Amino acid sequence: VQKATRQHTKEQNRILVLRTIFDRQNMSRAEIARITHLTRTTVSDIVSELIKEGLVREIGLGSSIGGKSPILLSLIDDSRCILSLDLAYNRFSGAVVNLRGQIKEYTTIPINDTNGEEALKVAYEILDQLIKSSKQTLVGIGIGAPGLINTQNGYIINAVNLDWQNLPLGSILTERYHLPVYVLNDCQAAAMGELIYGMQDQTVDNLIVIRAGHGIGAGIIINRKLFQGDNSGAGEIGHVVYMREGGLPCRCGNFGCLETLASVRAVLQRAQLMSETTFSEKSTPITLENLEQAFFAGDNAIRQIVLEAGRYLGMAVANLVGAYNIHHIIFTGEMTRFGEPWLDAIRETMGQYALPKLVQDTIVQIGRLGDKDVMLGASALMASSYQLLFTKN
Ligand SMILES: [Zn+2]
């Protein structure tokens, strides 16, 4: 028992030292000892190991406060990398991401109408390609996937677009690549990405990230930790019904869900319906790019459709503000291309539907990571499991 405890403590100390170097660049051994409350000898021993394992290096001398100048230590950003996958509805993307969220390799494959076993093969193809071209030490696979996910056991419970039900994606990939795999909902991954790499203000502890794209979902961060709820399903706001009477059918089987009112699919469908009624004939399918152009050219009907979508999102935000009182709300996903006018519709409706006292300090803005948010979030979560970074022996 004693030996096990010692081993455990040693591991904890290693994590503590590594995290200290990770969080603050350019530290001396003495500073680490001061911050971690470990003895200088313990810190020295651990640092020697971390240098031997290639995770940390000495980068020169710091300024002295009397006496010998201390040697400064720094994390080697590329020493370990994470394979990261974003299984979006129309394309799968993958990246090799280093410990600081820098993308070293990137590849993407369209998956139009590909699903089931075929879609799984596309995921293999991306991972195979990345592993082949990567020169880095890869320590894990982080995945953001659409739909209901059980993060604990790596199961995709239900991803409608991909036709995946109860798919043990985590264990399938672990078996194939002999790496730990972490699967989470794409919106939850995006939230982690924006928290770690997207926020200018790194003192923000609570954050809600809403992805409004083909689908709609949210990731909720409380005290810098992802809040997943009892079933990993926290933030599934896209399938809450907002229009019971006369709502359009949703892919979940219900009618009038938020997704049928405020997603990319919803605005495209509405624009298409309108164009067919106006010109009373089957017109060519409207694309999101067409819609964006018409929107910014000031096309009144299109503006109404898009801003109406924004107003429904505003109601959803009002509910979240009421439930969580979280001051930072970030939007990501394809709908963000409609920019400030769309965001203003969201803000205005939020103001009408929630308590003014709660709304006045709430900042609603567009995320800074663009379409890399899911991949960066999935990799950030892997990288924060420091145990994975140590050399196994
Ligand atoms: Zn639905």
Side-chain angles (χ1 to χ4, degrees):
V1 176
Q2 243 179 7
K3 197 180 164 207
T5 315
R6 255 204 315 275
Q7 202 58 39
H8 179 72
T9 313
K10 198 184 159 205
E11 179 86 353
Q12 292 307 312
N13 290 345
R14 276 161 63 89
I15 290 172
L16 192 57
V17 170
L18 183 62
R19 192 190 322 164
T20 308
I21 301 172
F22 201 114
D23 290 346
R24 312 170 183 78
Q25 289 282 27
N26 309 345
M27 302 218 64
S28 69
R29 289 169 176 81
E31 281 174 290
I32 296 169
R34 189 172 48 77
I35 290 167
T36 59
H37 303 292
L38 297 171
T39 67
R40 286 207 187 199
T41 323
T42 307
V43 170
S44 273
D45 289 349
I46 292 173
V47 166
S48 302
E49 286 171 9
L50 295 179
I51 290 174
K52 212 186 297 168
E53 292 181 20
L55 271 163
V56 167
R57 67 176 162 206
E58 297 181 335
I59 53 160
L61 298 178
S63 53
S64 155
I65 33 163
K68 231 170 70 180
S69 298
I71 300 168
L72 297 181
L73 301 161
S74 169
L75 182 80
I76 303 175
D77 298 348
D78 286 352
S79 61
R80 306 287 190 272
C81 281
I82 291 112
L83 285 160
S84 201
L85 278 183
D86 175 8
L87 308 181
Y89 80 100
N90 59 346
R91 67 190 164 84
F92 284 3
S93 312
V96 173
V97 185
N98 81 0
L99 296 176
R100 295 274 176 221
Q102 287 157 334
I103 292 177
K104 311 303 284 186
E105 310 276 344
Y106 175 82
T107 182
T108 183
I109 298 180
I111 58 144
N112 306 318
D113 299 323
T114 313
N115 54 27
E117 189 70 28
E118 287 301 309
L120 196 56
K121 281 187 189 142
V122 176
Y124 295 159
E125 195 182 329
I126 289 178
L127 289 170
D128 291 347
Q129 205 175 314
L130 290 172
I131 289 169
K132 219 165 119 192
S133 54
S134 164
K135 292 168 273 303
Q136 280 86 13
T137 306
L138 302 168
V139 293
I141 305 173
I143 300 173
L148 270 181
I149 315 286
N150 184 331
T151 302
Q152 253 74 47
N153 60 16
Y155 264 68
I156 310 268
I157 299 165
N158 193 355
V160 180
N161 282 310
L162 298 170
D163 194 22
W164 287 351
Q165 272 97 35
N166 293 316
L167 178 77
L169 185 64
S171 52
I172 290 173
L173 294 181
T174 295
E175 202 162 298
R176 190 179 158 100
Y177 296 103
H178 309 287
L179 285 171
V181 177
Y182 195 77
V183 190
L184 75 165
N185 171 273
D186 51 2
C187 302
Q188 296 177 352
M192 279 314 287
E194 291 291 344
L195 175 80
I196 308 272
Y197 301 119
M199 298 297 285
Q200 256 159 341
D201 179 1
Q202 275 297 315
T203 63
V204 169
D205 289 331
N206 303 324
L207 178 69
I208 292 177
V209 173
I210 301 173
R211 251 170 90 79
H214 197 67
I216 294 173
I220 300 157
I221 308 275
I222 297 172
N223 288 327
R224 299 192 71 81
K225 290 227 157 37
L226 189 60
F227 173 75
Q228 292 189 295
D230 287 335
N231 257 340
S232 313
E236 274 291 337
I237 59 171
H239 298 286
V240 174
V241 174
Y242 278 72
M243 189 187 277
R244 187 78 218 156
E245 298 294 321
L248 293 172
C250 182
R251 59 194 171 118
C252 73
N254 214 334
F255 290 83
C257 295
L258 183 62
E259 258 190 37
T260 68
L261 296 159
S263 66
V264 164
R265 202 198 329 239
V267 291
L268 283 178
Q269 194 176 19
R270 266 150 230 273
Q272 193 76 41
L273 273 174
M274 188 194 63
S275 122
E276 278 165 20
T277 352
T278 314
F279 303 109
S280 66
E281 57 181 67
K282 285 269 172 209
S283 48
T284 47
I286 295 173
T287 66
L288 195 54
E289 287 70 26
N290 299 151
L291 215 60
E292 186 184 357
Q293 240 169 26
F295 180 79
F296 285 106
D299 183 313
N300 247 328
I302 298 296
R303 282 186 80 84
Q304 268 185 29
I305 289 174
V306 171
L307 298 182
E308 182 73 357
R311 283 191 279 275
Y312 279 107
L313 286 171
M315 292 180 204
V317 173
N319 280 315
L320 290 168
V321 166
Y324 293 97
N325 183 27
I326 287 178
H327 283 165
H328 289 87
I329 313 272
I330 284 181
F331 274 91
T332 69
E334 292 268 39
M335 284 299 285
T336 58
R337 68 173 67 214
F338 298 106
E340 282 300 315
W342 169 76
L343 217 48
D344 279 339
I346 296 173
R347 290 179 183 128
E348 201 184 299
T349 312
M350 167 184 78
Q352 292 160 350
Y353 279 70
L355 272 181
K357 277 275 171 228
L358 295 183
V359 167
Q360 67 185 14
D361 297 321
T362 305
I363 301 164
V364 180
Q365 53 197 163
I366 290 173
R368 296 169 68 216
L369 301 183
D371 61 0
K372 305 290 189 296
D373 54 350
V374 173
M375 280 189 300
L376 290 179
S379 77
L381 266 177
M382 284 305 290
S384 62
S385 321
Y386 295 92
Q387 293 93 321
L388 292 178
L389 310 182
F390 299 134
T391 308
K392 312 275 176 303
N393 40 25

